[in-house]
Amino acid sequence: MKRYFLLTCFFSLLSIASYAQDSYGIVEEHKSALIGRLQKQRMLMGSSMPNGGSPENSSNKPGVPEKTGRKVTARGYRVQIYSGSSRSEAYDAQARFKKVYQDLNTYLGYEQPNYRVKVGDFTSRSQAQALMNQLRKNFSAVFIFTETVNIEY
């Protein structure tokens, strides 16, 4: 009986070892579709930009990126200039901002019960901080938010 048990164990281990050898050398790749799309966007942005694809390094004016017309979204920063329940005050804040900063985008959103006006599409927090410091004179409650922003290259 003991011998039969040992033989059974031996053949079981031998069959497991041979099964493991059958799958040896097969590699399965699991790749997210999102990763592929992000890599394509990165390649497109890099190939259209001089100086190695960095928008900060390409421009006719120092410190101002050259616009090529490509629009992408990325994680960035916006400055909130108004939050409150009055729609007319939200529109007023948006109009006051646009009078001074015509080149910056404004975004009006509504999350019950408040309207929120956010401005700018910044890739670095320091850019948003600089604008926030300027806006403190004209707007009472300004804050920086991290969110998906629109970037034009």
Side-chain angles (χ1 to χ4, degrees):
M1 187 71 164
K2 193 174 190 182
R3 210 179 222 172
Y4 178 72
F5 178 72
L6 288 175
L7 280 174
T8 305
C9 288
F10 175 73
F11 284 116
S12 296
L13 288 175
L14 186 62
S15 66
I16 290 173
S18 67
Y19 176 74
Q21 292 297 322
D22 289 341
S23 64
Y24 180 75
I26 297 173
V27 177
E28 290 184 30
E29 180 181 353
H30 298 280
K31 187 175 180 182
S32 170
L34 179 61
I35 299 289
R37 282 189 283 168
L38 289 172
Q39 288 173 335
K40 277 185 180 179
Q41 279 185 341
R42 185 87 175 199
M43 282 184 4
L44 290 173
M45 286 177 10
S47 65
S48 68
M49 301 297 294
N51 299 327
S54 175
E56 291 80 22
N57 296 335
S58 65
S59 176
N60 295 335
K61 298 177 189 174
V64 179
E66 180 180 301
K67 304 280 185 186
T68 62
R70 293 187 191 270
K71 293 182 180 181
V72 296
T73 58
R75 293 303 288 170
Y77 303 92
R78 287 198 178 127
V79 178
Q80 179 177 288
I81 60 171
Y82 175 79
S83 178
S85 59
S86 172
R87 182 170 62 173
S88 62
E89 287 180 19
Y91 283 129
D92 179 54
Q94 188 177 29
R96 282 189 297 135
F97 179 83
K98 275 308 227 184
K99 281 182 183 177
V100 179
Y101 301 95
Q102 295 94 7
D103 56 332
L104 291 177
N105 295 329
T106 62
Y107 302 92
L108 179 79
Y110 178 73
E111 287 182 37
Q112 194 172 0
N114 290 325
Y115 289 90
R116 298 174 192 268
V117 178
K118 295 179 183 175
V119 298
D121 294 304
F122 302 107
T123 55
S124 73
R125 188 172 180 87
S126 61
Q127 293 170 329
Q129 184 72 42
L131 178 65
M132 186 176 84
N133 291 339
Q134 292 174 2
L135 294 176
R136 284 188 193 261
K137 302 171 208 162
N138 300 323
F139 297 94
S140 58
V142 291
F143 297 99
I144 296 176
F145 283 88
T146 303
E147 55 188 62
T148 303
V149 297
N150 305 312
I151 301 170
E152 185 178 339
Y153 288 105

